[in-house]
């Protein structure tokens, strides 16, 4: 399954289950970055994330602070 298809499947499954999620999206990059604008990561209130918005270090930070 492609990354986008996996993300869409996870969004659909979460919606059907009534689970709260956050969709983080890279909108601007300054300087060197692992991911470009448009990269997405679905962050459920409980469970595993789908996708990535960085090389890993920022992804873990987002998981700790849903909602910003």
């Amino acid at each position: 399954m492609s990354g986008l298809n996996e993300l869409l499947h996870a969004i659909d499954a979460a919606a059907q289950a009534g689970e709260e999620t956050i969709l983080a999206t890279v909108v601007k990059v300054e300087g060197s970055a692992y991911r470009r604008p448009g990269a997405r990561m679905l962050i459920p209130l409980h469970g595993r994330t789908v996708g990535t918005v960085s090389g890993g270090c920022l992804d873990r930070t987002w998981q700790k602070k849903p909602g910003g």
Side-chain angles (χ1 to χ4, degrees):
M1 183 180 297
S2 76
L4 180 57
N5 284 337
E6 183 181 10
L7 181 70
L8 293 173
H9 177 74
I11 290 170
D12 186 48
Q16 289 183 16
E19 296 176 3
E20 294 183 33
T21 61
I22 296 170
L23 182 61
T25 306
V26 175
V27 294
K28 183 178 180 181
V29 173
E30 293 183 11
S32 177
Y34 178 75
R35 299 295 308 260
R36 306 308 305 163
R40 296 175 212 72
M41 178 173 68
L42 184 68
I43 308 167
L45 189 57
H46 305 286
R48 73 175 186 91
T49 61
V50 176
T52 182
V53 292
S54 75
C57 59
L58 291 176
D59 294 349
R60 288 186 290 278
T61 300
W62 277 102
Q63 291 173 20
K64 293 178 186 175
K65 298 174 131 182

